[in-house]
Amino acid sequence: MMNETLKNILERRSIRQFKQKQINNDELEAIIEAGKYAPSAMNQQSWHFTVVQNKEMLKKINETTKAAFVKSGNKMFEERAKAENFSPFHNAPTFIIVSGDEKAIAPNHDGSLAIGNMFLAAKSLEIGSCWIHAMNFVLNSEEGKLLKKELGIPEGYIPVGSAAFGYSAAPYPSSAPRKDGTVNIIK
């Protein structure tokens, strides 16, 4: 059995090389709308989406992330921050940070499902995407507290994840083989 939805699910891959051409407003709205229609615990819709397309703010996010990584004490983060072309969001022209109401039942799950929906919507529009987990660390760091306010993330909201979006500058990678032994079916 195959249909367009299943095809998008099976073909979606993380893209880490983006053209600098910005996605258009209709595409952005469709991606955000897909996020808003994700399932959520008790239909709380506990997410908040912070969409960044402003080049100066993207540069500030990059610089803040680099500073937080350098001071992290985590060797992997420190090494990444030393890269000449460091960009936690792979220089994508659109970056969406998803945060969740810390008082909600399941803000991490709600936000993760929203990002998943956005990824599938992007794939259906031939827009590349990639999960970016760095903001969870950065927005909870000393360097990130001011940035969180500048981004307009509401008080009482915790970072769930973020995603890079843009037109792919490289061919879509092929899928890795799926692991065996990950399913039990009890009938």
Side-chain angles (χ1 to χ4, degrees):
M1 285 178 54
M2 187 59 65
N3 61 35
E4 204 59 33
T5 301
L6 291 172
K7 185 175 184 281
N8 282 327
I9 291 169
L10 297 177
E11 291 180 359
R12 195 222 151 257
R13 299 287 169 268
S14 291
I15 300 302
R16 293 178 177 87
Q17 293 178 7
F18 296 95
K19 295 177 182 175
Q20 288 310 295
K21 178 183 176 191
Q22 187 58 265
I23 63 176
N24 72 46
N25 289 336
D26 290 339
E27 293 165 333
L28 176 62
E29 287 300 319
I31 290 167
I32 293 168
E33 194 72 2
K36 289 179 178 180
Y37 274 83
S40 64
M42 300 295 292
N43 197 28
Q44 287 186 313
Q45 301 174 40
S46 65
W47 45 66
H48 179 84
F49 306 132
T50 303
V51 180
V52 183
Q53 293 183 317
N54 177 283
K55 288 182 181 187
E56 289 305 311
M57 183 54 78
L58 290 170
K59 184 177 177 183
K60 186 167 198 161
I61 291 169
N62 197 54
E63 290 167 355
T64 303
T65 302
K66 188 172 192 166
F69 275 22
V70 166
K71 295 178 183 177
S72 69
N74 178 311
K75 293 292 181 203
M76 184 183 73
F77 286 175
E78 291 170 6
E79 287 302 312
R80 277 195 67 201
K82 291 178 187 176
E84 185 177 325
N85 295 321
F86 175 79
S87 173
F89 48 87
H90 308 291
N91 296 302
T94 297
F95 188 53
I96 301 177
I97 301 166
V98 179
S99 52
D101 184 344
E102 65 186 0
K103 293 180 183 149
I105 295 169
N108 287 314
H109 299 86
D110 296 349
S112 294
L113 286 165
I115 293 171
N117 270 19
M118 288 190 274
F119 284 166
L120 295 175
K123 171 65 174 98
S124 77
L125 298 169
E126 298 183 16
I127 293 170
S129 62
C130 187
W131 178 281
I132 308 296
H133 200 71
M135 296 315 314
N136 294 39
F137 169 76
V138 172
L139 293 175
N140 287 316
S141 71
E142 285 304 313
E143 294 81 6
K145 288 179 182 175
L146 179 60
L147 180 63
K148 189 175 176 181
K149 286 182 183 181
E150 287 183 61
L151 290 167
I153 296 173
E155 284 291 321
Y157 277 67
I158 55 173
V160 171
S162 54
F165 292 93
Y167 302 110
S168 181
Y172 270 69
S174 56
S175 68
R178 301 295 98 177
K179 293 180 181 178
D180 290 330
T182 61
V183 178
N184 287 345
I185 298 177
I186 302 168
K187 292 186 178 187

